[in-house]
Amino acid sequence: MRPSAHTSQAWLWPVLAALIALPTSPALAGGFEVQQSAYFQGMSFAGAAAGGLSLASISWNPAASAFAGWGLSSESSYAGVFPEANLTVLNPDVQLPPPGADKVDVGRNSLVAASFYALRASARTVLGLSITAPFGLVTKPDDVNWAGKYEAVTSKIFTINATPSISYEVVPGLSLGIGVQFQYFDLLELRAATPAGGSNIDGDNIGTGVVAGVNFSPNPGTSLGLGFRSSIDHNLRGNFRLRFNPDTAKLVGLRVFETPAEAEIDLPDKLTFSFRQSVSPRARLLGTVDWANWSRLGVVPIRLGGPFPPLEAGEPVANIVFNWRDGWMFALGGEFDWSPRLTLRTGVSYEISPVDGPTTRLVQVPDSNHTWVSGGLTYRLGENSSLDFAYSHGFFEDDAPFERLPAAVQLQNVPPLIGEANVSADIVSVGWRWRWGGAPPAPEALK
């Protein structure tokens, strides 16, 4: 059936939603990575790279588009993230004056969106496109005058990644995929207090990378997927600003100082293995092992583009100390066809955080080893359309310690900020999958 003028433009809405999606709090995955799929979230991302009914699998493994039917297939997911990130400072009295609150919540509710598309070009070839926000961060204390204000006040990171890809079935059941990532990274705001006033750093950049994958289905009930996403190196260019407090402004005769600044951040590459196995005509078991090379993030200096006495151009005004290790995620889940229209699913995952101790736990990213417990369902509206729903709760380590120095190079001799973080999060997602047209071409007539 030919789509109407209305439905032929429907693909614009999920694309726009992905473009305007807010950055997320640090609670979706290890570090500040964001995972997006209402379908796979219902199983804590078990089976994410093994393909199947959900196009979101191409975000982990471009070869998974081989499962797409004829015609244009589309999928969009929208997730509401509701975190709590309570920080307790244990040594507020030794911090730089003026004193501030020793207990704050830095978590912020947010929205994340993603869209996926596949167009079958031939019996063996499928074109794919994913539009996601793979990394994000929003933290802001509910009391900006807290004891750790010299370490962090507001932090906002936003990314959007567009990855066109292609899969090709080499032999029946074996498909290879490859694609190119185009990623925009925007450090919207990195704000902290100083004795002289409030500082802020921003910057953005567009970087590129590759994706590759393989999918093997030895029989209709088994699928094995392996996907790789390369690192993307972003050379951020923006500005450093220092808004002097009234007393300092009178002393220096200046209200705001501003100069160009730049920083280089090397985001991790990823390797994901997943499986999907039918255990009965109505039930399937799924699993995932995911590795992220977060150890690429060591110390990120933010260098000045102009002088800021006593610092010269090219010298770092701040150092963001990560020194993270690699992250791992292990997930197991299942789904059951309750009826021809309704499928139920559940899953659990355990993530080994790239944050491995007090000195690597940023107050902006108070991550720790954590467990996700999830449930979800799919309701089929018709032959070519279905809705996905998912809910997840994240259990993080209790009283995870942090010990941090301010990022500003001129504040490295002050006492460290020592405290504990208690984080939890709830995620509610909805997704819409649909397909237009798509009858396979008739075989050629026998001659």
Side-chain angles (χ1 to χ4, degrees):
M1 183 179 73
R2 174 181 250 174
S4 68
H6 172 73
T7 58
S8 65
Q9 300 299 317
W11 64 274
L12 289 172
W13 295 108
V15 173
L16 292 174
L19 290 171
I20 65 174
L22 297 175
T24 186
S25 300
L28 279 170
F32 48 92
E33 183 186 358
V34 180
Q35 296 176 335
Q36 301 150 270
S37 166
Y39 181 98
F40 287 113
Q41 185 196 319
M43 297 176 289
S44 294
F45 297 97
L53 295 177
S54 174
L55 274 182
S57 193
I58 66 175
S59 182
W60 289 267
N61 176 12
S65 63
F67 287 88
W70 290 94
L72 175 64
S73 301
S74 308
E75 180 173 343
S76 293
S77 291
Y78 310 88
V81 186
F82 308 97
E84 286 189 9
N86 295 306
L87 306 181
T88 301
V89 179
L90 302 179
N91 62 342
D93 296 337
V94 302
Q95 300 303 307
L96 291 173
D102 61 350
K103 294 182 179 180
V104 292
D105 179 6
V106 301
R108 287 292 175 265
N109 298 340
S110 53
L111 171 69
V112 182
S115 295
F116 311 92
Y117 303 90
L119 177 64
R120 181 165 288 279
S122 72
R124 292 189 173 188
T125 305
V126 182
L127 306 178
L129 174 65
S130 65
I131 302 174
T132 62
F135 301 94
L137 172 67
V138 174
T139 53
K140 183 178 181 179
D142 47 17
D143 184 345
V144 295
N145 185 38
W146 72 299
K149 57 184 172 291
Y150 297 106
E151 169 66 14
V153 176
T154 304
S155 303
K156 295 181 181 179
I157 292 173
F158 171 71
T159 61
I160 186 164
N161 181 298
T163 303
S165 61
I166 184 171
S167 70
Y168 181 76
E169 188 177 45
V170 182
V171 296
L174 178 62
S175 296
L176 304 179
I178 193 169
V180 181
Q181 301 181 68
F182 300 94
Q183 182 166 283
Y184 174 68
F185 186 102
D186 192 357
L187 176 60
L188 293 163
E189 188 174 9
L190 192 62
R191 180 173 295 177
T194 75
S199 68
N200 185 51
I201 297 166
D202 62 58
D204 61 1
N205 176 254
I206 296 177
T208 59
V210 299
V211 295
V214 57
N215 192 273
F216 179 53
S217 298
N219 58 67
T222 303
S223 178
L224 306 173
L226 180 65
F228 170 75
R229 295 185 72 89
S230 75
S231 170
I232 297 181
D233 187 10
H234 288 284
N235 189 3
L236 306 178
R237 297 182 181 273
N239 296 282
F240 165 75
R241 299 181 189 85
L242 182 60
R243 188 175 298 275
F244 295 107
N245 58 42
D247 292 338
T248 306
K250 292 179 182 179
L251 183 64
V252 301
L254 188 66
R255 186 69 185 92
V256 178
F257 172 84
E258 181 173 340
T259 188
E262 64 179 42
E264 186 171 331
I265 184 167
D266 194 5
L267 296 176
D269 35 358
K270 274 175 65 74
L271 192 64
T272 306
F273 170 77
S274 296
F275 73 87
R276 185 182 73 252
Q277 177 63 53
S278 294
V279 294
S280 79
R282 299 171 62 185
R284 293 158 294 280
L285 181 68
L286 301 95
T288 289
V289 177
D290 181 277
W291 167 80
N293 190 11
W294 281 109
S295 57
R296 285 183 177 273
L297 276 179
V299 178
V300 178
I302 298 173
R303 302 186 182 278
L304 294 171
F308 177 52
L311 300 175
E312 300 292 335
E315 291 189 285
V317 67
N319 290 303
I320 311 300
V321 180
F322 291 93
N323 288 330
W324 285 353
R325 63 182 176 183
D326 292 345
W328 289 86
M329 187 269 283
F330 306 90
L332 187 65
E335 57 182 5
F336 177 76
D337 298 328
W338 183 268
S339 72
R341 285 188 176 271
L342 179 64
T343 296
L344 305 178
R345 56 182 61 92
T346 188
V348 62
S349 67
Y350 179 72
E351 294 200 43
I352 300 175
S353 170
V355 177
D356 62 352
T359 59
T360 60
R361 181 165 291 112
L362 280 68
V363 296
Q364 302 95 327
V365 191
D367 193 21
S368 61
N369 296 345
H370 51 276
T371 300
W372 288 102
V373 177
S374 306
L377 62 86
T378 292
Y379 185 77
R380 293 167 186 82
L381 301 175
E383 182 181 352
N384 294 325
S385 182
S386 61
L387 291 175
D388 300 317
F389 299 93
Y391 167 77
S392 299
H393 182 77
F395 301 87
F396 292 68
E397 291 182 6
D398 292 333
D399 302 326
F402 59 82
E403 182 178 333
R404 301 291 299 181
L405 288 172
V409 296
Q410 294 179 319
L411 297 179
Q412 295 299 296
N413 295 324
V414 304
L417 184 74
I418 297 174
E420 296 172 340
N422 286 280
V423 177
S424 65
D426 295 287
I427 306 174
V428 179
S429 295
V430 60
W432 181 28
R433 289 181 281 135
W434 68 103
R435 183 168 61 90
W436 293 298
E444 294 184 8
L446 296 176
K447 295 183 179 179

